[in-house]
Amino acid sequence: ANLVLLGPPGAGKGTQARMLQDRFGLVQLSTGDLLRAAVKAGTEAGLQARAVMDRGDLVSDDIVIAILRDRLSHPDCTNGVIFDGFPRTTVQAQALDDLLADIGSAITAAISLDVDDAAMVARISGRYTCAGCGEGYHDQFKQPAAFGTCDKCGSSEMTRRADDTAETVHQRLKAYHAQTAPLIAYYEARGVLARVDAMADIDTVAKDLTAIVAQTL
Ligand code: AP5
Ligand code: ZN
């Protein structure tokens, strides 16, 4: 199965992609994570992307598609991928269809995580991540069992993202509505769209998603 998770910043794409990865043995492929790794490594693409990401705008299709193509050629992707935060424009969606067609594959389901914008600011400003394994947490909605210590790997080093500020979140939501929301119609026209109420709690959303994905396998 190849799944696309669509939804604005804070909708829970990363949280649910990691859940689906563990449950179905698919590979989570987050262009946001790949871009942050490129920024950290100081690559040419990373240098160009950094300022754009800090503003909350979308990185150029050329850079993102090149990074994605590179990652997708890795052999661990052959069993199926969860695309998290990609595609974000119609150009990217077409490029993804072409890349998958080249390897005799296609998108099995595009799942829109439906949420209210107003709730996303609280979700994003409370978010933090384990530096050891990438597990996501939230000050209010998802605390580790032992304060400050990751449930999954035991690390006590937690990080917050540079772009998780109130002003940047508004710009990221704007970019979502202008450039990414049209992909809901794109995938609906291809008969692969499903929708989930992502205002529900994390476990309920996980259950709904699991049911949808199980049907596509
Ligand atoms: P990216 O890294 O993709 O960030 P994003 O889309 O803004 O999404 P987030 O990671 O903020 O949110 P999420 O939906 O994963 O939510 P999460 O599960 O963490 O992109 C960052 C930047 O990179 C972009 O702005 C752009 O510049 C660039 N970029 C990336 N991809 C690109 C592309 N394809 N093209 C161009 N540019 C690109 O959940 C959020 C918090 O809420 C967590 O703390 C979580 O614990 C909590 N939570 C989750 N679900 C629930 C729930 N149901 N109830 C309560 N709390 C919840
Ligand atoms: Zn961890």
Side-chain angles (χ1 to χ4, degrees):
N2 289 305
L3 311 171
V4 170
L5 292 186
L6 285 171
K13 301 181 297 294
T15 302
Q16 300 298 342
R18 278 186 297 278
M19 179 281 296
L20 292 169
Q21 166 168 269
D22 295 347
R23 203 162 284 184
F24 293 101
L26 305 166
V27 169
Q28 175 196 13
L29 202 162
S30 155
T31 44
D33 287 348
L34 292 171
L35 287 166
R36 280 183 289 279
V39 168
K40 208 168 164 192
T43 65
E44 179 70 29
L47 290 173
Q48 285 189 46
R50 181 176 200 151
V52 181
M53 293 171 77
D54 285 346
R55 274 204 311 271
D57 289 330
L58 293 188
V59 174
S60 76
D61 288 333
D62 289 351
I63 289 180
V64 175
I65 291 167
I67 285 184
L68 188 276
R69 183 187 294 124
D70 195 51
R71 178 65 185 86
L72 202 54
S73 67
H74 202 273
D76 68 349
C77 289
T78 45
N79 277 338
V81 175
I82 306 155
F83 296 96
D84 159 10
F86 182 93
R88 263 177 152 92
T89 64
T90 308
V91 171
Q92 292 179 19
Q94 268 149 4
L96 179 58
D97 283 343
D98 293 346
L99 280 170
L100 290 174
D102 284 348
I103 54 170
S105 196
I107 294 298
T108 19
I111 308 169
S112 169
L113 302 181
D114 295 337
V115 290
D116 300 339
D117 274 14
M120 295 306 103
V121 179
R123 280 204 196 168
I124 286 173
S125 47
R127 167 168 61 185
Y128 60 98
T129 303
C130 170
C133 71
E135 181 69 2
Y137 292 100
H138 194 280
D139 292 327
Q140 236 179 305
F141 307 124
K142 189 185 166 195
Q143 299 261 33
F147 182 78
T149 305
C150 178
D151 292 336
K152 283 213 160 164
C153 75
S155 167
S156 54
E157 204 191 321
M158 300 286 175
T159 60
R160 291 185 193 255
R161 267 166 54 179
D163 63 343
D164 279 351
T165 62
E167 309 100 72
T168 309
V169 170
H170 288 296
Q171 187 55 36
R172 284 157 61 196
L173 284 168
K174 249 195 195 160
Y176 172 80
H177 289 293
Q179 290 167 276
T180 309
L183 295 182
I184 293 174
Y186 179 96
Y187 286 113
E188 189 161 39
R190 281 161 182 71
V192 292
L193 184 75
R195 307 188 82 130
V196 160
D197 171 16
M199 290 304 291
D201 60 65
I202 294 175
D203 291 344
T204 304
V205 178
K207 234 178 76 207
D208 292 350
L209 275 170
T210 300
I212 291 170
V213 175
Q215 272 185 352
T216 72
L217 293 176

